[in-house]
Amino acid sequence: MRPTVILLSFNSEDTLGATLARAREVSSEIFVIDSFSTDGTVALAESYGATVVQHAFENYGAQRNWGIDNLPITGKWQLHLDADEVMDDELVAAIKALPDEPQHAGYFVPRYVKFLGRVLRHGGMSPTWHLRLFRSGVGRCEDRKYDQHFLLVGSETSGAGTTGQLSGVMIDDIAMSLSEWTARHNRWADGEVAELFAEQAGAAEAGRLVADAKGNPAQRKRALRQKYNQLPLFVRPFALFGYRFFFKLGFLDGTEGFIFWVLQTFWFRFLIDAKIWEKRHLR
């Protein structure tokens, strides 16, 4: 298999090189959808033989779907990555070992987070599974403002198309500063709140991942998120942090893990709850 690789980038020169170096091992057709970077991202991508296309960023789902709909993709398969996701040797080998017409229509890839220079291996999020490799014409990304997943079009409702899982991992190397990380999560908190209120109002669009506790990894994750959303405001961030950091042994990830779990599973989720409360009571 030689899939077309599609990456999203914005001011990604610190991580893009490592991502593209591994991508070139599985593909000769690489597209980088850039959001008008102001650093050396474009020149770096072109030096690795990638075709760079500029498109204004709205959200991850919209950007990925724009690429699926508009890029001159010639591959029968597509592999979607972020500019900071680096495949390891085993994952590269697993993709190259797939036949041109494999058993499944899409494949989930395991992803670990590298935060403040340390790969986090505990906390119940290591790894998370993402549908990133799929046959052209059957894959699409949810049009959500936050927590978007790829899905096989129609598969979650009609049963059409099956998915498998690949060995190896990709490392999500979060190289940005904590100032940038928290600024982005502040924006993503707004997106999550907007999604929650849209769902409650019945305004969520079709083409969404269907939560299923017995389904594929993304469906199971969405089912757990729904259970979390049913818990009381301001209580659930404390419960989630305790679950991730203590019960799922997140404390074994050292100081870097402590910072991550406090920010990701407590601060970020508490911020979402605070914004929900604000929207209900002060607007």
Side-chain angles (χ1 to χ4, degrees):
M1 178 183 290
R2 299 287 286 178
T4 295
V5 175
I6 303 171
L7 296 97
L8 305 186
S9 70
F10 176 70
N11 289 349
S12 307
E13 64 179 350
D14 290 339
T15 59
L16 183 60
T19 301
L20 287 173
R22 303 319 302 263
R24 288 186 61 183
E25 296 185 40
V26 301
S27 178
S28 57
E29 182 173 76
I30 302 175
F31 292 100
V32 173
I33 306 175
D34 187 67
S35 304
F36 301 97
S37 292
T38 57
D39 63 359
T41 294
V42 171
L44 179 62
E46 292 175 342
S47 73
Y48 277 90
T51 299
V52 179
V53 180
Q54 297 289 353
H55 187 257
F57 186 85
E58 179 183 351
N59 59 60
Y60 286 97
Q63 194 80 332
R64 293 188 188 280
N65 288 332
W66 182 89
I68 291 173
D69 294 336
N70 293 279
L71 293 175
I73 298 167
T74 64
K76 292 190 292 184
W77 282 75
Q78 299 174 24
L79 173 64
H80 288 257
L81 300 171
D82 285 338
D84 56 0
E85 292 175 338
V86 182
M87 297 182 289
D88 71 354
D89 292 337
E90 187 177 358
L91 178 55
V92 168
I95 294 173
K96 294 169 68 174
L98 287 171
D100 194 42
E101 292 294 338
Q103 175 184 0
H104 300 288
Y107 287 87
F108 281 87
V109 175
R111 184 179 76 176
Y112 284 85
V113 170
K114 185 177 182 181
F115 187 76
L116 297 178
R118 179 170 184 156
V119 177
L120 307 181
R121 300 189 179 278
H122 304 90
M125 289 176 57
S126 304
T128 54
W129 290 84
H130 298 266
L131 182 67
R132 295 298 188 83
L133 178 67
F134 48 80
R135 186 178 290 114
S136 293
V138 304
R140 197 135 191 100
C141 190
E142 294 181 283
D143 188 14
R144 289 174 55 92
K145 295 179 174 61
Y146 177 70
D147 193 30
Q148 306 91 341
H149 285 269
F150 282 102
L151 64 156
L152 301 183
V153 178
S155 65
E156 279 74 17
T157 56
S158 68
T162 60
T163 59
Q165 297 181 359
L166 294 177
S167 59
V169 301
M170 61 181 179
I171 303 296
D172 181 10
D173 186 5
I174 302 175
M176 69 188 76
S177 68
L178 287 177
S179 295
E180 175 62 20
W181 190 93
T182 52
R184 291 191 184 190
H185 277 70
N186 182 44
R187 296 194 297 269
W188 292 340
D190 290 332
E192 178 73 353
V193 171
E195 289 292 340
L196 290 171
F197 276 89
E199 291 173 3
Q200 292 171 6
E205 299 178 2
R208 299 293 184 92
L209 188 72
V210 177
D212 185 351
K214 298 182 179 180
N216 64 44
Q219 291 175 306
R220 296 196 297 269
K221 179 183 176 184
R222 186 60 54 81
L224 289 173
R225 179 60 55 81
Q226 288 186 349
K227 290 182 179 295
Y228 173 85
N229 288 339
Q230 294 170 2
L231 297 174
L233 289 182
F234 303 120
V235 173
R236 55 195 186 183
F238 287 93
L240 182 61
F241 173 74
Y243 175 76
R244 295 288 188 201
F245 190 70
F246 296 106
F247 185 75
K248 300 300 289 186
L249 307 181
F251 62 86
L252 294 178
D253 285 319
T255 301
E256 298 89 347
F258 177 65
I259 295 171
F260 178 83
W261 298 118
V262 169
L263 291 178
Q264 178 67 39
T265 64
F266 179 73
W267 171 81
F268 177 53
R269 289 292 156 187
F270 191 92
L271 180 62
I272 290 172
D273 283 2
K275 288 175 181 283
I276 291 173
W277 187 92
E278 178 189 35
K279 189 173 181 68
R280 287 175 177 172
H281 293 84
L282 301 180
R283 296 184 182 181

